[in-house]
Amino acid sequence: MDALLEVKDLEVTISLKEGAVRAVNGVSFRIPANRTLGVVGESGCGKSMTARALLRILPPGGRIVGGQIRLAPRDGHSTGVVDIAALPPRSRALRAIRGGEIAMIFQEPMTSLSPVHSIGDQIGEGVRLHRKTSKREARERAVEMLRLVGVPMPERRVDAYPHQLSGGLRQRSMIAIALACRPRLLIADEPTTALDVTIQAQILNLIERLQREMAMSVMMITHDLGVIAETADEVAVMYLGRIVEYAPVRDLFDSPMHPYTQGLLASIPRIGRPSGRTLYSIPGTVPDPYTMPPGCPFHPRCPQRIAGVCDRGEPPAPVEAGPNHQVACRLYESRQGEADDA
């Protein structure tokens, strides 16, 4: 493999009382070593569900029904590639990957951290599981990690409980837990949610610094395009469980192609915009998964929809619109035909 992680045609369904919902629909992407993939989209577009599928920690009723999640071995050879999607759910191999090879920072640290265990115990739990160390060594590692992520007085804070810490310190503690075993891939799911802008900048700078020091890859999930512009190397834009555009970050901001990506970028406040002008917003809302529109899921909200085309049939396969730039939209199908002819 020439990438740390390669996802092919991933499909995830969630079974509820109302029926089964396809939360992730044919998602494919690659995360090279020491690179950052940004995943962006509105709430309900499948970003977090995709991330949870990589670690096989889907909510009750969630199930991977198709596709591959291929993780490269540490030595970089093609032999020993692991398909995480095919591993038994309670297998030792899967437990070794969670926290040891791939770790995750969740949106809300107050609801993700255990309220009845100290921060040090929660960091040390993963260390003892994956590194087979003693309690004393695990505690020393917890203090070291708290110091690494910038928690003041780590020797004291190691015995603190989550409710005794501020939001910024809880988020730093969550990062310390995730990185305690030096994983090769860090999944950051909205890591700056509910934090003020000053603390947001500190957390993002911290993740970027630790990525350099630990030589790890990052999957940054957010709805904030400003965060994507600052942190990502490549960007996947998701809508209703599909990747509608995939491109290097500069290409995406300079020449967005999918109407949904164009709408997201147009809604960003910009310095120099004339005062009094209403900020653009994409019309409508993300459809209910039980009442999916026919054809392209975005066509009811799309200002460039083609009547009789976009409202019929599944969206097309992604089209190569440039170097490593793919877009799944009927507007660009002619390009694929020209490429096939060539």
Side-chain angles (χ1 to χ4, degrees), residues 11 37 39 100 169-170 191 196 202 222 236 279:
E11 297 187 13
L37 172 68
V39 183
L169 290 182
R170 284 196 294 266
D196 62 64
Q202 293 176 5
T222 181
L279 191 65

Side-chain angles (χ1 to χ4, degrees), residues 48-317:
S48 296
M49 202 63 66
T50 300
R52 286 177 171 271
L54 301 186
L55 284 172
R56 301 281 298 277
I57 52 173
L58 294 168
R63 191 163 62 95
I64 296 176
V65 296
Q68 296 179 321
I69 306 170
R70 304 177 73 233
L71 177 66
R74 279 190 178 270
D75 57 16
H77 297 306
S78 59
T79 57
V81 174
V82 177
D83 183 4
I84 299 175
L87 292 176
R90 298 184 182 275
S91 65
R92 182 175 298 178
L94 185 56
R95 289 198 301 270
I97 289 173
R98 294 177 181 148
E101 301 286 341
I102 304 175
M104 186 168 179
I105 305 172
F106 297 91
Q107 292 187 29
E108 281 291 343
M110 196 59 189
T111 58
S112 301
L113 294 170
S114 169
V116 297
H117 295 89
S118 69
I119 294 299
D121 286 343
Q122 294 183 62
I123 298 174
E125 180 183 17
V127 175
R128 296 189 67 194
L129 174 66
H130 293 289
R131 297 293 179 262
K132 307 300 182 183
T133 61
S134 66
K135 286 186 177 181
R136 180 179 177 180
E137 292 171 330
R139 179 182 173 83
E140 292 173 353
R141 177 64 174 167
V143 173
E144 177 189 343
M145 289 306 303
L146 290 176
R147 184 179 292 110
L148 182 66
V149 299
V151 173
M153 298 180 293
E155 294 83 2
R156 291 178 52 188
R157 294 278 167 66
V158 73
D159 294 317
Y161 291 85
H163 70 274
Q164 296 175 310
L165 303 178
S166 66
L169 290 182
R170 284 196 294 266
Q171 193 63 285
R172 289 175 184 269
S173 300
M174 178 72 75
I175 296 172
I177 294 171
L179 300 184
C181 296
R182 295 188 172 269
R184 291 187 290 158
L185 172 63
L186 174 67
I187 302 173
D189 188 0
E190 301 279 6
T192 57
T193 297
L195 300 177
D196 62 64
V197 291
T198 303
I199 304 301
Q200 284 184 18
Q202 293 176 5
I203 295 299
L204 292 174
N205 289 336
L206 172 63
I207 293 174
E208 186 177 1
R209 175 175 65 81
L210 294 175
Q211 180 182 17
R212 291 195 305 269
E213 293 177 359
M214 296 184 173
M216 66 181 177
S217 302
V218 175
M219 181 177 178
M220 180 70 69
I221 300 171
T222 181
H223 62 273
D224 190 334
L225 285 164
V227 171
I228 292 296
E230 289 292 329
T231 62
D233 296 302
E234 289 86 27
V235 187
V237 182
M238 290 193 69
Y239 188 77
L240 272 182
R242 299 174 184 268
I243 292 179
V244 296
E245 188 163 3
Y246 185 98
V249 63
R250 184 180 294 273
D251 292 351
L252 190 90
F253 279 82
D254 288 347
S255 55
M257 304 191 72
H258 197 281
Y260 180 60
T261 309
Q262 294 169 0
L264 291 176
L265 291 172
S267 65
I268 300 175
R270 299 179 184 276
I271 297 176
R273 187 189 298 268
S275 60
R277 180 178 296 180
T278 303
L279 191 65
Y280 176 81
S281 63
I282 301 174
T285 58
V286 178
D288 187 291
Y290 294 106
T291 57
M292 290 279 288
C296 173
F298 185 62
H299 90 265
R301 309 174 65 191
C302 181
Q304 303 179 53
R305 61 182 177 270
I306 304 172
V309 175
C310 295
D311 55 352
R312 297 181 182 177
E314 289 286 315

